[in-house]
C-alpha cells in the first residue's frame, strides 16, 4: 500500500488495553486513532481522538467508521469476521485481514491450519457430544484438556481431565461438550513454553527474540528473555513464526506460543493475530517495540529493527495487586497501567518490566 502520512486516521476494532497501547504508540508517530467498540468507558477510547460506541455487527456504524479511517486494524481476535468484510466493502483496508481472524477464532481450524503449513501441534480430537469425549479421552490415556473451540482465553473455557488436577472435571466436561463445540487436546509433557512475536510488513518479516513464559492458573504471569533454549530451538521457533505470518498473508504483529518438548521438538500451542502479552517487554529491551511495529506495518511504513539490547523480565499485575502501585514496583524499569476501572480477580490491569542487564 501507499504509506500513510502523519495526520491520517488509524481505526482500531476493540477498546481494551492492547488497543490503548497501540493508540498511544500511533499518536507518537503522528496518527489520529479512532476506536470502535461497544463500551462507553473503554481504556483505548480514553486516549484516542475518536470513539464510535456501537456493536461490532452494526453495519451502518461500521460503514460510517470506515468512511473516516484511512486504514483499520484490530486488537483482539474475537472481532466478527463479518465486521472486517463490511469495512472492506466500504472501501477501507483492514490490516491484518479476515484470514488471520478466521484461522485464530476456532481452535479446530487453527490446529488444522498449523499442521497443514508444517507447524506441528499436540494431538487433538473434535468433540461434539459427551459420548465422543469419552471415546477420545480413552484414546489419550484418560487425560487431556477439553477446550471450547471459540472464545476461550486466560484459562476460560477449558477443563483439565485426568491426573491430580483434573480428576473431578469429567461431568463438567461432558456438560460443556454437550452445550458447545469443543476440542480435546492431549497433554504435552513439555519442558517449557516459549513464544515468538512476529511482525510482517509490506517488504519484510521480522521476528523478536523468543520469550520464555510462566503461567499460573492459565494466565500468563511473566515472560523472560532470553529463553533458556538452544540456538537450534530458537532458530526453529523463529522460522515457525515467520512461516505462519507468511502463510496467513498477515500484515502487522502476531504471537505464536510453542511448547518445547524434552527431545527439542516444538509443538504449537496457539496463535494470536495481534500484539501479544508475551511481547510487552519489547519496547524496553529492543530498538523498536511490538506496538510501534504494528502501527508501522499497518500504515505501510518500513519496519524498525528488532535488535534486543537487554535481558529482561516482564510481569503481569492482576486485579487487586494494582493497589500496590507504585510502591511495590518501585524497582521496575517501567510500569504500564491499562487504566481499567475496577480490579477484578485474575484480570490483567498492568505490567512491569525489569532489565536484568545488557545483552552479552
Amino acid at each position: 500500500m501507499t504509506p500513510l502520512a502523519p495526520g491520517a486516521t488509524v481505526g482500531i476494532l476493540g477498546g481494551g488495553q492492547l488497543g490503548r497501547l497501540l493508540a498511544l504508540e500511533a499518536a507518537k508517530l503522528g496518527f489520529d486513532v479512532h476506536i470502535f467498540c461497544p463500551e462507553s468507558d473503554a481504556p483505548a477510547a480514553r486516549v484516542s481522538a475518536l470513539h464510535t460506541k456501537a456493536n461490532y455487527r452494526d453495519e451502518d456504524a461500521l460503514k460510517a467508521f470506515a468512511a473516516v479511517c484511512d486504514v483499520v486494524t484490530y486488537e483482539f481476535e474475537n472481532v466478527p469476521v463479518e465486521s472486517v468484510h463490511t469495512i472492506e466493502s466500504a472501501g477501507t483496508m483492514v490490516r491484518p485481514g479476515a484470514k488471520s481472524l478466521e484461522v485464530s477464532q476456532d481452535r479446530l481450524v487453527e490446529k488444522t491450519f498449523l499442521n497443514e503449513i508444517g507447524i506441528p501441534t499436540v494431538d487433538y480430537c473434535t468433540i461434539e457430544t459427551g459420548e465422543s469425549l469419552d471415546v477420545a479421552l480413552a484414546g489419550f490415556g484418560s487425560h487431556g484438556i477439553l477446550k471450547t473451540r471459540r472464545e476461550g482465553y486466560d484459562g476460560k473455557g477449558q477443563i483439565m481431565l485426568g491426573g491430580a488436577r483434573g480428576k473431578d472435571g469429567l461431568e463438567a466436561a461432558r456438560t460443556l461438550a454437550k452445550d458447545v463445540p469443543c476440542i480435546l487436546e492431549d497433554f504435552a509433557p513439555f519442558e517449557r513454553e516459549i513464544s515468538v512475536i512476529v511482525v510482517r510488513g509490506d517488504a519484510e518479516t521480522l521476528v523478536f527474540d523468543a520469550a520464555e513464559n510462566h503461567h499460573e492458573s492459565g494466565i500468563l504471569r511473566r515472560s523472560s528473555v532470553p529463553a533458556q533454549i538452544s540456538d537450534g530451538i530458537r532458530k526453529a521457533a523463529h522460522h515457525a513464526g515467520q512461516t505462519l505470518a507468511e502463510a496467513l498473508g498477515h500484515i502487522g504483529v502476531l504471537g505464536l506460543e510453542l511448547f518445547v518438548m524434552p527431545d527439542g521438538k516444538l509443538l504449537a500451542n496457539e496463535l494470536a493475530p495481534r500484539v501479544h502479552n508475551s511481547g510487552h517487554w519489547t519496547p524496553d529491551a529492543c530498538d523498536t517495540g511490538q506496538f510501534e511495529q504494528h502501527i508501522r506495518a499497518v500504515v505501510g511504513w518500513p519496519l524498525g529493527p528488532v535488535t534486543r539490547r537487554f535481558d529482561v523480565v516482564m510481569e503481569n499485575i492482576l486485579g487487586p495487586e494494582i493497589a500496590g502501585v507504585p510502591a511495590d514496583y518501585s524497582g521496575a524499569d517501567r510500569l504500564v497501567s491499562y487504566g481499567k476501572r475496577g480490579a477484578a480477580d485474575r484480570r490483567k490491569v498492568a505490567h512491569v518490566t525489569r532489565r536484568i542487564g545488557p545483552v552479552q
Side-chain angles (χ1 to χ4, degrees):
M1 67 176 286
T2 301
L4 298 181
T9 298
V10 176
I12 300 178
L13 294 166
Q17 67 256 31
L18 298 179
R20 181 184 179 98
L21 298 176
L22 286 169
L24 291 169
E25 207 60 52
K28 292 179 185 177
L29 298 178
F31 297 102
D32 289 342
V33 172
H34 188 162
I35 298 295
F36 188 108
C37 68
E39 299 84 14
S40 58
D41 191 37
R46 300 202 308 271
V47 299
S48 299
L50 299 165
H51 175 212
T52 292
K53 179 181 179 294
N55 186 279
Y56 292 117
R57 298 187 183 277
D58 186 330
E59 290 192 10
D60 290 338
L62 287 166
K63 291 175 182 177
F65 170 70
V68 296
C69 293
D70 296 287
V71 69
V72 171
T73 188
Y74 43 83
E75 61 111 32
F76 75 118
E77 57 267 46
N78 290 323
V79 172
V81 173
E82 295 78 12
S83 302
V84 172
H85 292 320
T86 298
I87 292 169
E88 290 176 332
S89 68
T92 300
M93 187 178 296
V94 181
R95 311 185 97 192
K99 184 173 183 178
S100 295
L101 286 181
E102 290 169 342
V103 170
S104 63
Q105 285 181 352
D106 186 316
R107 285 190 170 95
L108 177 61
V109 175
E110 176 184 88
K111 283 186 164 47
T112 302
F113 181 82
L114 287 167
N115 282 283
E116 286 176 347
I117 63 173
I119 302 175
T121 68
V122 297
D123 291 336
Y124 60 94
C125 292
T126 304
I127 304 298
E128 296 179 347
T129 65
E131 290 74 18
S132 64
L133 171 62
D134 292 340
V135 172
L137 197 58
F140 285 163
S142 299
H143 60 245
I145 306 174
L146 185 73
K147 299 180 179 181
T148 57
R149 283 176 53 176
R150 289 180 174 270
E151 297 190 354
Y153 65 96
D154 284 348
K156 298 179 177 66
Q158 302 184 18
I159 299 176
M160 189 169 294
L161 299 170
R165 291 187 295 169
K167 61 183 179 180
D168 299 324
L170 186 56
E171 286 306 315
R174 287 173 177 151
T175 299
L176 183 64
K178 181 178 66 175
D179 291 342
V180 295
C182 293
I183 185 171
L184 180 71
E185 297 179 5
D186 196 6
F187 274 144
F190 57 91
E191 287 190 340
R192 51 181 45 85
E193 183 195 283
I194 63 173
S195 59
V196 287
I197 306 301
V198 186
V199 56
R200 183 170 182 266
D202 291 310
E204 61 181 333
T205 302
L206 301 174
V207 186
F208 289 94
D209 200 359
E212 185 168 333
N213 302 322
H214 174 70
H215 289 79
E216 294 178 3
S217 301
I219 298 177
L220 180 64
R221 192 57 165 168
R222 70 185 62 87
S223 295
S224 304
V225 188
Q228 299 304 299
I229 54 177
S230 68
D231 287 342
I233 293 174
R234 183 174 290 104
K235 290 177 181 177
H238 287 203
H239 177 71
Q242 184 168 345
T243 297
L244 175 60
E246 292 173 355
L248 289 170
H250 188 93
I251 296 295
V253 168
L254 64 78
L256 175 62
E257 296 177 354
L258 299 154
F259 295 135
V260 181
M261 305 303 289
D263 62 358
K265 183 179 181 180
L266 292 175
L267 298 178
N269 179 26
E270 63 183 27
L271 70 92
R274 50 168 171 78
V275 289
H276 194 257
N277 193 183
S278 69
H280 285 358
W281 58 272
T282 57
D284 300 303
C286 300
D287 288 344
T288 317
Q290 67 165 345
F291 302 103
E292 180 179 343
Q293 292 283 36
H294 187 78
I295 297 299
R296 281 178 168 272
V298 165
V299 302
W301 284 18
L303 304 179
V306 296
T307 306
R308 183 171 61 85
R309 303 296 182 181
F310 296 93
D311 296 347
V312 65
V313 175
M314 184 282 302
E315 181 179 356
N316 282 320
I317 298 173
L318 306 179
E321 295 171 357
I322 195 68
V325 172
D328 291 352
Y329 304 95
S330 58
D333 290 288
R334 188 186 301 271
L335 163 69
V336 179
S337 177
Y338 308 147
K340 292 183 177 180
R341 315 290 192 190
D345 287 344
R346 294 170 54 84
R347 191 183 188 196
K348 296 172 185 171
V349 293
H351 70 264
V352 293
T353 50
R354 295 180 173 89
R355 292 174 176 169
I356 307 304
V359 173
Q360 300 298 315

